[in-house]
Amino acid sequence: MATPASEVPRIKLGSQGLEVSRIGLGCRGMSPNHGPPKPEPEMIKLIQHAIDNGVTFLDTSDQYGPHTNELLIGKAIKGMRERVQIASKFGISFKDGKMDICGEPEYVRACCEASLKRLDIDCIDLYYVHRIDIRVPIEMTIGELKKLVEEGKIKYIGLSEACAATIRRAHAVHPITAVQLEWSLWTRDLEEEIVPTCIELGIGIVPYSPLGRGFFSAGPQLIESLADGDFRKNIPRFKPENFEHNKQIFEQLKKIASRKRCTTSQLALAWVLHKGDDICPIPGTTKIENLNENIEAVSVKLTADEIAELESCAYADMVKGERHAFMWGTWINSETPPLSSWKAE
């Protein structure tokens, strides 16, 4: 049975010195594109509640909102800067309603400067390349981030949705502290190459959407609760033709959770946490009660047999539909051209 964690453990994320809480807080859902706008005072209260209860690793991006999520976090951490670790990202923009990815050095620097102002801080603890620009050698992008580290504007460098080869090339330019990828019971494609590469290089892993974008919390009711404008309506797994099949996975998870006397959310989070000691999942929420529930997942212990049983509920062939609406922008298409081919226009 899950018991409240009076204090969230601390872990070393990667081998470069960054210390964070055992679980973090994904803040994307507090801004537009996850349904109707959330009252700012309530979101500030939620963030501060998280910090006061030991969840000090806050994840944001300049693309969330866009921009408003960083502004929100900047307000929430006033007077609390020394207690938190801020992770932000750059690299995604939308032009004329279309997603664009950019990793050019000038863009890297401009984004960092803008994020620092919105967050109202002097240094970003962990700064990720949000998506990999396959038109620009990764060495060029990381080279500029390395300069920002040397200038004291960022402390550690991360990659999001990068394949193993890109991770290796980036790490050769400057040590990569963490790689952020979607990882949950029904999204495990990173385990074959990316996870072993990160272990070999001493890179921490930050699983985003560890609750299946809310599926492992709400189950079949999730679709009914999604408001107009919620981007999750575009995810193939949640389309009617796939969801009717996929909801069977939740029913199996629910049976195991009942036996464990914990919630389905806690069970799904516990599974991710059991994958390694330098893994920090960042479940998102907009409700304090859900945050408290997520914290308790740290106390859920799983046996090898229970882990195997959980994984048998959601192996790849059982899941219908892609995990992301923009698969072309994920790690499967993240290998950049060789540095020798680079010609600045």
Side-chain angles (χ1 to χ4, degrees), residues 247-265:
K247 68 182 185 182
Q248 299 173 37
I249 297 169
F250 180 81
E251 295 308 319
Q252 294 184 62
L253 190 71
K254 192 174 179 181
K255 291 178 183 177
I256 301 172
S258 177
R259 196 170 72 228
K260 290 286 292 181
R261 295 165 64 190
C262 66
T263 68
T264 53
S265 297

Side-chain angles (χ1 to χ4, degrees), residues 14 20 29 33 74 97 102 120 132 150 154 167 173 176 187 206 230 232 247 295 313 330 339:
V20 299
N33 298 325
C102 185
D120 196 18
I132 308 301
E150 292 166 350
I154 63 178
I167 293 168
V173 177
I176 301 301
T187 299
V206 177
D230 193 313
R232 288 175 289 182
K247 68 182 185 182
I295 290 174
C313 294
T330 64
L339 185 60

Side-chain angles (χ1 to χ4, degrees), residues 33 42 61 69 107 133 143 146 158 172 174 184 222 303 335 337:
N33 298 325
E42 290 184 18
S61 168
N69 200 250
Y107 182 78
D133 186 347
K146 181 179 179 180
H174 186 279
S184 70
L222 176 67
T303 66
E335 180 62 11

